Amino acid sequence: MERDGILFRQGASPEEGGYPGYGYRVEHDLGMEIERDVAVRMRDGARIFVDIYRPEGGRDLPVLLGWSPYGKHPHIKWDLFPGSGVQPGQLSPYTPFEAPDPVRWTAYGYALAFPDPRGTWNSEGGQARFFTPKECEDAYDLIEWLAAQEWSSGKVGMAGVSYLAMMQWLVAARRPPHLAAINPWEGCSDLYREFFFHGGIPNSRFVRNWEQRIQHSRVPVEDVRRMMRAHPLLDGYWAEKSPDLAQIEVPAYVVASWTDHGLHTRGTLEAYRRISSREKWLEIHGRKKWQHYYAEESLGRQRRFFDRFLRGQEDALSDWPRVRLEVRERFGVGEVREEAQWPISRRSLSAFYLDAQAGALAEEPPREAAQVRYDPRAKDGRAQFDLRFSEDAEITGNIKLRLWVQAEGAQDMDLFVVLQKLDQNGERVPFAHFNAFEDGDVAYGWLRVSHREQDPLRSTPDQPFLLHRRELPLPADGAPAMVEVEVWPTSTHFGAGETLRLVVQGRDIRSYPEPLVAIEHEETRNEGTHVLLAGGAYDAHLLLPMVE
């Protein structure tokens, strides 16, 4: 079905998602007073339903809002994500997916509010849509309603991971008067480039899985996958789903990771850099995102941040550095370091040139041109180039890969770029990856070559900014085309004798069995033979942010 140019699908019954029944009621448990299905009217008269947790008898309470369509009732089971690091019994049974635990936070003296947004589950207001101006308007209205309640202190914060973080960017840009602080924990800020398409390549498997978690509704639900096919370029449909980051001025404790390439790493770091908040702090870790969010140390930092801005504890953050990041060695091993800013000022951009004959990365460009050819559909179809470090080295920041490419028998090609770490014996060193995996690599980048057109005003030496407004086929005469691939940022240490390997191929470096939730690009353009040229007139190189 279609309405006003938006394609919808029939929602799945809320009861199929474990909906616990409708109707206002009050429960008491574990020192909490819980109001279920509180009806809150939006400015257009529609009612959304909210669960509110408060400490028994609490008054003058600061409020934390967790906004997502996943259900205010906890029904998504952690066993869907084996390896997530969230242990059985670690969270109370009242904790919604990717949200703060109400039992913990009410014990700290906070109230918590979890809504079912407009059109989702049992809430009113027409069709269910996601990341829209109307959804932001509703969150604004709920913040102001929460601040006006007789038990509230009038100060509201927003918290949570992923969708709950992305909504923080969108809502904070609208500046609700009573939004006092935000803690966006790993959330995209440019949904076209980071969530739905990577370098123009559809993020198909993850979106397919995500749609299963946003489908519960009594009304039609936005059909995001069909909208991706109808809007493969960055147009108004996608533009309205991304925030105006410069409008954000509220205090922010921003948490990113090196491990969420393909979803949250890029956008969280970009948002920290671009928001206008004078009081902002950045943490970048190298661990599994949910495990890190619910870790005791992380909960302590979250509490200190909200105590400062929602409870007025002036000295709560007096010893906090502006930037706190982990330099990774391998899975589960890294050194945490303080920095004054992001990107860090001590990095220097160093070009390492592709040597097609030797399969190496070199400090000087090869004098003679050469090429590497591979079949993008073959299991072993790839090009790889190694850089062996003779002394300790650190790479921290954004990375750019410049290539000269041809596609024999085709006018487009998909490039999947992976940076790997090899130990002194040539064995691949694993890292935490995405939500629950332990076999990841250093960094990833993607490009559909027809999307190679850049914005000259926003591109920087270490970060090409692609326009995605039109497709440019490769030259019909077969002439090589220069392309630049944005490789998402990392912080990784290499010891003497260890190797950085650059891999370029036409598909994902690895796949995972269903029903695991993973990043995978199933709708690729992989016809013909891929040709990479380097040396001579073809200045193919990898630009690395080296830190002394």
Side-chain angles (χ1 to χ4, degrees):
M1 64 190 77
E2 180 176 353
R3 180 176 177 179
D4 299 327
I6 305 299
L7 299 170
F8 292 92
R9 59 193 174 106
Q10 185 57 50
S13 164
E15 286 71 26
E16 293 178 13
Y19 195 70
Y22 164 72
Y24 178 79
R25 56 210 184 274
V26 179
E27 303 169 1
H28 298 270
D29 192 24
L30 299 175
M32 300 185 296
E33 179 176 325
I34 308 166
E35 289 188 275
R36 301 286 192 198
D37 281 323
V38 178
V40 180
R41 287 198 180 273
M42 302 292 95
R43 65 188 69 181
D44 64 355
R47 297 181 304 168
I48 68 170
F49 294 98
V50 185
D51 285 354
I52 298 174
Y53 298 79
R54 303 196 306 273
E56 288 274 15
R59 292 291 183 269
D60 195 32
L61 299 172
V63 187
L64 294 183
L65 170 61
W67 184 287
S68 89
Y70 301 143
K72 56 186 173 59
H73 62 293
H75 69 100
I76 296 177
K77 306 301 182 184
W78 286 104
D79 57 12
L80 290 173
F81 311 96
S84 70
V86 180
Q87 300 302 316
Q90 181 179 352
L91 305 178
S92 80
Y94 293 102
T95 310
F97 185 55
E98 300 188 313
D101 184 337
V103 173
R104 279 296 192 110
W105 284 92
T106 53
Y108 298 156
Y110 284 79
L112 290 91
F114 304 117
D116 286 334
R118 173 183 299 260
T120 68
W121 300 93
N122 207 55
S123 287
E124 300 172 351
Q127 293 88 352
R129 294 197 59 204
F130 309 100
F131 305 117
T132 63
K134 175 58 74 175
E135 186 176 17
C136 299
E137 184 180 275
D138 289 347
Y140 182 116
D141 290 350
L142 180 56
I143 288 168
E144 296 306 298
W145 183 90
L146 291 166
Q149 300 311 294
E150 53 88 18
W151 45 261
S152 171
S153 70
K155 291 186 179 293
V156 180
M158 295 186 75
V161 182
S162 191
Y163 197 111
L164 293 83
M166 290 183 266
M167 283 301 296
Q168 293 179 56
W169 305 127
L170 286 157
V171 176
R174 291 175 171 255
R175 301 182 182 176
H178 290 90
L179 180 61
I182 59 174
N183 175 211
W185 200 285
E186 300 191 52
C188 305
S189 59
D190 185 329
L191 272 77
Y192 180 92
R193 294 179 174 88
E194 298 154 6
F195 190 145
F196 295 100
F197 295 87
H198 295 143
I201 307 171
N203 183 14
S204 54
R205 174 170 167 176
F206 178 78
V207 174
R208 184 177 72 251
N209 178 275
W210 178 68
E211 279 202 324
Q212 297 174 16
R213 299 199 293 279
I214 61 169
Q215 65 182 335
H216 294 99
S217 174
R218 302 198 189 281
V219 298
V221 175
E222 184 175 6
D223 193 327
V224 178
R225 281 192 290 163
R226 289 175 64 203
M227 292 302 291
M228 288 174 69
R229 296 186 184 101
H231 297 266
L233 299 174
L234 205 171
D235 56 14
Y237 171 75
W238 299 110
E240 76 165 10
K241 294 181 182 292
S242 291
D244 184 350
L245 294 168
Q247 294 299 312
I248 297 175
E249 295 183 340
V250 68
Y253 170 31
V254 180
V255 179
S257 77
W258 308 123
T259 63
D260 218 34
H261 282 214
L263 197 57
H264 297 319
T265 299
R266 178 191 189 274
T268 313
L269 293 171
E270 286 296 290
Y272 175 81
R273 186 173 60 84
R274 293 174 55 199
I275 63 176
S276 300
S277 306
R278 294 181 59 188
E279 296 176 293
K280 63 179 181 179
W281 292 265
L282 175 65
E283 176 185 338
I284 322 171
H285 67 90
R287 311 301 166 115
K288 299 175 183 179
K289 63 184 174 188
W290 297 318
Q291 181 182 42
H292 191 63
Y293 180 66
Y294 292 114
E296 289 295 327
E297 183 181 2
S298 297
L299 286 169
R301 287 195 292 274
Q302 294 165 35
R303 183 181 178 185
R304 287 178 66 184
F305 173 73
F306 284 120
D307 281 352
R308 165 65 183 86
F309 293 105
L310 271 63
R311 308 185 82 161
Q313 296 185 7
E314 295 292 334
D315 61 348
L317 309 182
S318 59
D319 61 343
W320 273 26
R322 285 297 174 180
V323 177
R324 183 174 181 270
L325 62 83
E326 179 178 0
V327 184
R328 299 183 300 169
E329 290 281 352
R330 59 169 52 242
F331 172 74
V333 179
E335 177 185 352
V336 176
R337 189 176 70 216
E338 297 179 359
E339 295 287 347
Q341 63 191 57
W342 178 264
I344 64 176
S345 59
R346 293 179 293 108
R347 80 193 193 290
S348 59
L349 300 179
S350 299
F352 294 90
Y353 294 87
L354 278 61
D355 186 329
Q357 289 185 329
L361 295 167
E363 294 184 5
E364 298 295 331
R367 293 184 179 182
E368 300 296 327
Q371 61 178 234
V372 180
R373 306 163 63 86
Y374 61 88
D375 180 350
R377 295 157 296 186
K379 185 176 181 180
D380 60 352
R382 66 178 58 88
Q384 62 186 44
F385 307 87
D386 289 352
L387 171 64
R388 188 174 187 274
F389 292 100
S390 59
E391 57 186 28
D392 285 5
E394 178 189 324
I395 298 169
T396 299
N398 294 313
I399 299 165
K400 182 179 76 176
L401 174 63
R402 175 177 291 180
L403 294 173
W404 289 85
V405 302
Q406 296 170 308
E408 293 180 355
Q411 285 192 279
D412 205 356
M413 57 196 295
D414 287 344
L415 298 173
F416 290 74
V417 175
V418 183
L419 300 185
Q420 299 178 326
K421 178 178 177 178
L422 309 182
D423 65 17
Q424 294 178 349
N425 298 318
E427 298 296 323
R428 189 174 69 88
V429 176
F431 294 91
H433 175 52
F434 200 45
N435 51 45
F437 303 118
E438 301 176 4
D439 60 348
D441 293 299
V442 170
Y444 301 81
W446 306 265
L447 178 65
R448 177 158 287 173
V449 167
S450 59
H451 285 241
R452 64 189 179 277
E453 185 176 21
Q454 296 185 28
D455 182 339
L457 297 179
R458 294 193 61 178
S459 294
T460 61
D462 60 345
Q463 188 179 32
F465 191 87
L466 303 180
L467 288 169
H468 298 293
R469 292 178 184 167
R470 60 176 178 168
E471 290 196 352
L472 299 176
L474 287 167
D477 62 2
M482 190 275 284
V483 301
E484 293 187 327
V485 183
E486 177 184 7
V487 180
W488 286 20
T490 187
S491 183
T492 306
H493 175 264
F494 291 81
E498 295 182 325
T499 296
L500 171 69
R501 171 167 289 174
L502 165 66
V503 178
V504 183
Q505 59 185 48
R507 54 185 169 76
D508 291 290
I509 191 75
R510 61 184 56 85
S511 62
Y512 299 93
E514 299 282 1
L516 296 179
V517 180
I519 297 294
E520 192 168 345
H521 307 78
E522 302 150 315
E523 302 168 13
T524 56
R525 295 181 182 174
N526 277 330
E527 300 301 319
T529 298
H530 288 188
V531 182
L532 310 183
L533 300 100
Y538 304 111
D539 60 339
H541 63 270
L542 183 67
L543 194 64
L544 295 175
M546 308 299 294
V547 178
E548 295 182 359

